[in-house]
Amino acid sequence: MMEWLNEIPLFLLILVRISCFFITVPVFMTKTIPAPFKIGLAFFLAVIVTMSTDKSGIQAFSAEYIILIIKESLVGLGLGFIASILFYAIQLAGTFIDLQSGFAMGAVFDPQSGTNVNLTGRLKNVLATLFLFSLDGHHLLIRGVLESYQWIHVEALVPAMLDGRISTLLLETFKHSFVIAFLLAAPIVFTLFLVDLVLGIIGKTSPQINLMVVGFSLKIGVYFMVLFLALPGFFLLLHRLFAQMFDAISQMIRIMGASL
């Protein structure tokens, strides 16, 4: 019994990292997943990691322990945030598409993020989540945070938080996120731009045509046609996006685990 009491400080530190990871990582951060499920999953994962981690005799309720709690929370939030950056590229692509197609006025409330999102972004987000589940991506995310304990030890600090390497990685991830969002939105946005160009020429040559009625209906028809034609390419880009997401998590773990 005393041995378990001595392991409570270590268990709490491990629980902090896993819980903060679930707060920001895609799929698990959604409000549609019940909170008791996420709390229970984090608890039992923390128990498993505690049982497989070397006992280090961490002193609880000391200044060093408070610093370690802050460090563990930053590590968990950082690992989840860098994954969510790339996942938000899907939502950004939907925003680009809806601004061009006219569906931006029909933004709906998203229970997952708690904000208003565009229709196309919501559709692509659901498809991406299902695709991630089909690839067992949620298992890879959990494996990532569990393997982080092999690189980033609980009792050790993270020098990379002070030398700018993590900031550089985040900026690179933001750049890749915008590139992927542009590639996801490019087929529909470019096609709708051509439709607007043709409608503008028609409006100049035939002013008697009511473009407000004809143009909007035409753009909706072209939008749905290109959306379904571009679905195979969408899933190919999703495969690339998820590969970059797992690679970004791996790089973050290696940077945090490396010493100066």
Side-chain angles (χ1 to χ4, degrees), residues 7-17 50 61 65 69:
E7 294 177 10
I8 289 179
L10 175 63
F11 167 77
L12 292 178
L13 290 175
I14 294 173
L15 182 62
V16 166
R17 183 189 299 187
T50 303
F61 307 111
Y65 190 74
I69 289 178

Side-chain angles (χ1 to χ4, degrees), residues 20-84:
C20 291
F21 178 77
F22 284 154
I23 291 174
T24 55
V25 75
V27 179
F28 294 101
M29 63 177 289
T30 59
K31 296 182 179 180
T32 53
I33 299 179
F37 171 79
K38 290 186 282 189
I39 294 172
L41 179 61
F43 177 83
F44 286 109
L45 288 176
V47 171
I48 294 173
V49 175
T50 303
M51 294 175 62
S52 58
T53 302
D54 295 334
K55 311 304 180 290
S56 55
I58 299 175
Q59 298 295 326
F61 307 111
S62 61
E64 180 183 1
Y65 190 74
I66 300 300
I67 294 175
L68 291 177
I69 289 178
I70 297 175
K71 185 266 294 185
E72 288 296 308
S73 62
L74 291 177
V75 170
L77 292 173
L79 293 177
F81 179 68
I82 199 169
S84 63

Side-chain angles (χ1 to χ4, degrees), residues 9 54 90 104 139 204:
D54 295 334
I90 303 168
H139 292 163
K204 287 295 184 181

Side-chain angles (χ1 to χ4, degrees), residues 11-213:
F11 167 77
L12 292 178
L13 290 175
I14 294 173
L15 182 62
V16 166
R17 183 189 299 187
I18 297 177
S19 300
C20 291
F21 178 77
F22 284 154
I23 291 174
T24 55
V25 75
V27 179
F28 294 101
M29 63 177 289
T30 59
K31 296 182 179 180
T32 53
I33 299 179
F37 171 79
K38 290 186 282 189
I39 294 172
L41 179 61
F43 177 83
F44 286 109
L45 288 176
V47 171
I48 294 173
V49 175
T50 303
M51 294 175 62
S52 58
T53 302
D54 295 334
K55 311 304 180 290
S56 55
I58 299 175
Q59 298 295 326
F61 307 111
S62 61
E64 180 183 1
Y65 190 74
I66 300 300
I67 294 175
L68 291 177
I69 289 178
I70 297 175
K71 185 266 294 185
E72 288 296 308
S73 62
L74 291 177
V75 170
L77 292 173
L79 293 177
F81 179 68
I82 199 169
S84 63
I85 289 175
L86 291 168
F87 205 81
Y88 285 144
I90 303 168
Q91 194 70 49
L92 182 60
T95 302
F96 291 156
I97 294 171
D98 284 347
L99 285 174
Q100 186 67 26
S101 62
F103 282 120
M105 297 180 293
V108 295
F109 180 76
D110 181 17
Q112 293 186 356
S113 60
T115 58
N116 290 334
V117 296
N118 295 309
L119 298 175
T120 306
R122 177 69 177 144
L123 172 64
K124 289 182 176 292
N125 200 7
V126 171
L127 292 176
T129 302
L130 294 176
F131 189 65
L132 181 65
F133 280 126
S134 67
L135 297 176
D136 284 338
H138 53 300
H139 292 163
L140 295 177
L141 291 173
I142 295 176
R143 182 185 300 176
V145 69
L146 295 182
E147 290 184 353
S148 68
Y149 289 97
Q150 300 178 6
W151 289 79
I152 313 168
H153 298 290
V154 177
E155 70 279 1
L157 298 178
V158 181
M161 290 183 178
L162 303 175
D163 62 4
R165 285 179 289 173
I166 295 179
S167 300
T168 303
L169 178 61
L170 289 175
L171 290 176
E172 289 291 328
T173 307
F174 269 114
K175 182 186 72 173
H176 292 310
S177 176
F178 277 99
V179 171
I180 293 177
F182 176 77
L183 292 176
L184 289 173
I188 300 178
V189 171
F190 181 71
T191 304
L192 293 179
F193 172 76
L194 294 179
V195 172
D196 286 334
L197 183 62
V198 172
L199 290 175
I201 296 174
I202 294 175
K204 287 295 184 181
T205 56
S206 303
Q208 67 275 14
I209 298 178
N210 190 353
L211 294 181
M212 292 296 294
V213 176

